[in-house]
Amino acid sequence: SPSRQPLFEMDYQERQSRLTTFFRLITAILGLLLLSLWSIALWVTVPVAWFALLFTGRYPGGLHDFHASFARYATYVYSYLYLATDRWPGFSGAAEADYPVHLRIGEPLPEYNRMKVLFRLIVGIPVFLIAYAMNIVAQIAAVIAWCAIVITGKEPEGIYQMLRLGLSY
């Protein structure tokens, strides 16, 4: 039976450093740079994985691991950038990373429906639009959180919930 564990978890951290919060854009640059370089590789590996799925019905294990690591690292970096956590994300997208935000990605399926793979780009359009909107929600929450943390040193729980919603999608 499939695991019942949540796919996304984020620990609430009420107290955060005013200093690192004030300079968050600067302290996040290195993580964003690594994420940008990593995303360049996705321009090659995602189409390769799509064609492999389309023609074989299987997701190559190495590509799956690479894509899952990217998704986890992107979650870590954006959680840090958007003030969901005060801990710097490091340089790893490892599943076992000790980080207050967790994104669980299962193993690839033994076989995929090739027709679904073929039309994934079309049926994915609403998902991309929702992801775009959720990113805006997270950005708005981050601006409010930045102000609250710089002034009080605390992140209000309502803003945390708004961040959690935006980041989890």
Side-chain angles (χ1 to χ4, degrees), residues 3-7 9 104:
S3 173
R4 296 274 184 213
Q5 290 183 340
L7 298 176
E9 293 177 341
R104 288 181 180 74

Side-chain angles (χ1 to χ4, degrees), residues 57 73 163 167:
Y73 189 68
L163 272 170
L167 288 168

Side-chain angles (χ1 to χ4, degrees), residues 15-135:
R15 291 212 157 272
Q16 294 196 31
S17 166
R18 291 175 181 182
L19 184 63
T20 61
T21 296
F22 187 80
F23 293 107
R24 186 58 51 100
L25 286 174
I26 295 168
T27 60
I29 287 173
L30 199 53
L32 291 168
L33 180 63
L34 177 58
L35 197 60
S36 297
L37 293 173
W38 202 336
S39 66
I40 292 169
L42 291 179
W43 282 97
V44 174
T45 62
V46 167
V48 168
W50 185 79
F51 280 110
L53 281 161
L54 185 61
F55 292 114
T56 69
R58 290 182 173 47
Y59 203 134
L63 288 177
H64 178 271
D65 294 344
F66 183 76
H67 297 156
S69 291
F70 173 83
R72 283 189 295 269
Y73 189 68
T75 301
Y76 301 158
V77 169
Y78 284 109
S79 296
Y80 177 73
L81 177 65
Y82 291 166
L83 303 166
T85 181
D86 210 20
R87 277 190 49 205
W88 196 75
F91 297 106
S92 173
E96 62 278 350
D98 179 27
Y99 200 66
V101 178
H102 306 282
L103 178 64
R104 288 181 180 74
I105 299 173
E107 294 298 315
L109 298 174
E111 190 163 350
Y112 289 81
N113 181 319
R114 294 178 189 169
M115 193 60 68
K116 286 181 182 178
V117 171
L118 179 63
F119 291 107
R120 182 85 36 153
L121 296 174
I122 295 168
V123 298
I125 291 171
V127 174
F128 290 122
L129 293 174
I130 294 169
Y132 180 78
M134 289 295 109
N135 189 42

